[in-house]
Amino acid sequence: MESIQPFQVSVPQELVDQLDQKLSLASLPNELEDSDWEYGAPLADIKRLLEYWQEDYDWQLHEARINELPQFMTQITVNGFNNLDIHFVHQTSPVERPGSFQEVAKILPLLADTKDGTEPAFHIVAPSLPNFGFSQGVTKKGFSLPQYAEVCHNLMMKLGYTQYVTQGGDWGAWITRTIGLLHPTSCLASHINMIGSRESPNPRSPSEASSLTPSERAGLDRSAWFQTQGTGYSAIQSTKPQTLGYLLNDSPIGLLAWIYEKFHDWTDAYPWTDDEILTWTCIYAFSTAGPAASIRIYKESMSVDEGVWLKEKTRGYVPHVKLGLAYYPRDIYVHPVAWARGMGEIVFEKMHERGGHFAAWEWPESVAGDLKEMFGRGGGAEGVVRGRDGTDGGGNRRDMVDAEGARRDRIDEETDRRDRMDGEGDQEMN
């Protein structure tokens, strides 16, 4: 524990001045008439944000607000890579949960509030992943889902949490599922709000379509829109991230437009303020590794063999890890609930009436409410961490010893077993 140091964000003034100088030299393109959002971020919006950034936005004010969070820095060992400096938020309460750095700010007070002991409270461990935020960047190829999962797991071990639960959306959902695959005796339950279930081969067939609810049909329409209109970013980030990286590193307006488009398209009419948009953009611009590093996860996780193997595994059955699922109607893909039935032991499931991809920021009360219901009195994962039900400070912990080969064998055996059961079911139906 002595190697864990308190941390405060402190961006050198010379970097702030350099960004201001780049903004003053920004050259904006024209746009087609009446194009609105069809072609991407509208010129009028970017002009407004640029003017506000130059004249009124105060990074130091928002940096001070970030520094109100309980932040720390420590070195984490990753097999095959150098030790990495990892930045994380750590708020202590009776239960532990790793998450993500910026989005966690709004739910910290909600998860700490026990309502006079009637609701569970949580320890929160929210890291900046390597290549993101104020954690160190990776300079060697091959850092994929297993390595991100190893960072999170090893951080929990270093903090003394040999058993824990996880929550995640976006890449956090994939990493959360990977942690469950690789460390099932430590990661005992997961709640995810981006559900990457395996898709039905023919979801629009009459037999399947007739069983869908109106919200599920709307979800399929949303997913189809994203697949045809919203995946251009992923195509370039998963194939040629270095080329895009020059733009993101050198042009704060290019970085802003790249991020702002997703804020608009991936949320449920969330009323983003200019300060929120620019603060998120500045965290990328002032990140330790630079914004170009943050998009390499796409290439690595879609081309490194082990990462591809694990990502596909996370779509299927993850044994020994209780699972909670949260559906938000304006996420980037929203599958029918039946598609997720084979992902694990589902102990919690909720179809939210509103919300999008950034659920913990858009509607933090919904995510906190899910977790309190899932892990609270009578919830499907109540008491899953032995000796810790979230309502007192006691509890026993046990160490995890599990070899990589044994983990993979167990995963394959469970998956094969379920595949055989599915095949037998198909034969009976035929």
Side-chain angles (χ1 to χ4, degrees), residues 168-385:
D170 196 83
W171 280 109
W174 298 112
I175 294 168
T176 281
R177 296 281 287 169
T178 303
I179 295 171
L181 279 169
L182 300 181
H183 306 287
T185 59
S186 289
C187 176
L188 303 183
S190 295
H191 175 280
I192 57 176
N193 58 274
M194 188 185 78
I195 302 163
S197 54
R198 288 176 176 152
E199 298 183 11
S200 167
N202 191 13
R204 300 289 186 175
S205 67
S207 60
E208 286 207 32
S210 64
S211 66
L212 299 178
T213 67
S215 63
E216 287 176 320
R217 286 193 288 272
L220 284 179
D221 290 341
R222 172 69 172 172
S223 303
W225 169 86
F226 177 70
Q227 191 63 37
T228 58
Q229 301 295 319
T231 56
Y233 81 99
S234 181
I236 188 170
Q237 290 181 183
S238 60
T239 54
K240 302 294 182 183
Q242 186 67 21
T243 303
L244 176 61
Y246 297 113
L247 163 73
L248 302 182
N249 260 55
D250 189 60
S251 172
I253 290 300
L255 176 64
L256 167 64
W258 197 251
I259 293 172
Y260 178 52
E261 176 199 296
K262 282 69 177 176
F263 284 173
H264 173 271
D265 286 356
W266 295 3
T267 54
D268 192 1
Y270 176 75
W272 292 97
T273 67
D274 290 352
D275 281 273
E276 285 177 319
I277 295 164
L278 295 177
T279 299
W280 281 55
T281 303
C282 281
I283 289 173
Y284 278 89
F286 296 139
S287 62
T288 300
S294 68
I295 63 175
R296 293 176 187 143
I297 188 172
Y298 287 80
K299 173 73 169 176
E300 298 286 50
S301 296
M302 296 179 188
S303 61
V304 177
D305 288 344
E306 189 175 18
V308 173
W309 178 86
L310 277 170
K311 190 173 184 184
E312 180 57 29
K313 287 290 184 182
T314 65
R315 293 180 181 274
Y317 192 84
V318 176
H320 316 301
V321 181
K322 295 180 184 296
L323 181 60
L325 303 174
Y327 294 85
Y328 289 88
R330 301 298 290 177
D331 208 336
I332 56 178
Y333 45 80
V334 187
H335 295 163
V337 295
W339 292 10
R341 292 288 185 256
M343 293 182 71
E345 182 190 350
I346 299 172
V347 299
F348 176 88
E349 191 174 61
K350 181 168 287 189
M351 298 285 292
H352 290 282
E353 62 187 25
R354 60 183 174 89
H357 190 66
F358 304 100
W361 190 264
E362 294 177 66
W363 193 13
E365 295 83 1
S366 68
V367 177
D370 280 5
L371 294 173
K372 291 193 173 192
E373 184 176 344
M374 178 175 170
F375 295 100
R377 299 287 189 193
E382 178 188 3
V384 67
V385 177

